[in-house]
Amino acid sequence: MLVITIGIILVIIKVNTIVINMVTTLVITVLLTLVISLAIIQVIMLVVILVILLVIVLVIILVIILVIVLVIILVIILVIMLVIILVIVLVIILVIILAIILVIMLAIVLVIILVIILVIILAIVLVSVVVTKLVIILVIILVIILVIILAIVLVIVLVIQ
């Protein structure tokens, strides 16, 4: 009976040892599975965080590039507008200067034509009129010339201003 009892006790101890080994193996396997699962989850989270950071950095770089391109385009447009305005102003100034020169030349030509006409009239009057009338007409012609010259000078001064 003692042998059977010792045998049963040995069998129970052996079964306990096997069960303990199986439970230990099972616990170790479960723990390893948990650790591996946590490592995989951490790797996935790290990859997701890195992808999010990469997308944020790329968006920031894209926004900076777009701002730089827009600023460059605006500067080019402003420079073109300034050049166009400068050319228009220069053309207007040149037209005004040419108009003033043309008015002065026309005034000089008119004075020369008037002097020639007055000389011709004076010659005709000298031939046909006596000396006393000639003096009166000469004075009148000189006054007219002076009035015309004064009028031309006034026109030139008004045009220049």
Side-chain angles (χ1 to χ4, degrees):
M1 187 80 177
L2 184 59
V3 172
I4 293 177
T5 305
I6 292 176
I8 291 176
I9 291 175
L10 284 176
V11 168
I12 290 174
I13 291 174
K14 186 70 172 173
V15 169
N16 277 341
T17 305
I18 291 173
V19 169
I20 289 173
N21 284 341
M22 286 177 54
V23 169
T24 305
T25 304
L26 184 63
V27 167
I28 289 173
T29 305
V30 168
L31 287 176
L32 281 175
T33 304
L34 284 174
V35 167
I36 291 172
S37 297
L38 287 174
I40 291 173
I41 290 172
Q42 284 180 346
V43 167
I44 291 172
M45 287 176 58
L46 185 63
V47 168
V48 168
I49 290 172
L50 286 176
V51 167
I52 290 172
L53 286 176
L54 183 65
V55 167
I56 290 173
V57 168
L58 287 176
V59 166
I60 290 172
I61 290 173
L62 183 65
V63 167
I64 291 172
I65 290 174
L66 283 175
V67 167
I68 291 172
V69 167
L70 286 175
V71 166
I72 290 173
I73 289 173
L74 286 175
V75 166
I76 290 172
I77 289 172
L78 285 175
V79 166
I80 290 172
M81 288 175 58
L82 285 174
V83 166
I84 290 172
I85 290 172
L86 185 64
V87 166
I88 290 171
V89 168
L90 287 175
V91 166
I92 290 172
I93 290 173
L94 285 174
V95 166
I96 291 172
I97 291 173
L98 288 175
I100 292 171
I101 291 172
L102 183 64
V103 166
I104 292 172
M105 289 175 61
L106 285 174
I108 292 171
V109 168
L110 284 175
V111 167
I112 292 172
I113 290 173
L114 286 175
V115 167
I116 291 173
I117 290 172
L118 289 176
V119 166
I120 291 172
I121 291 173
L122 184 61
I124 292 172
V125 168
L126 283 175
V127 170
S128 65
V129 180
V130 272
V131 175
T132 56
K133 289 183 180 181
L134 179 66
V135 171
I136 294 172
I137 291 175
L138 185 61
V139 169
I140 292 172
I141 290 174
L142 286 175
V143 169
I144 291 173
I145 290 174
L146 284 175
V147 168
I148 291 172
I149 291 174
L150 284 174
I152 291 172
V153 169
L154 260 173
V155 167
I156 292 173
V157 168
L158 287 175
V159 167
I160 291 176
Q161 288 181 354

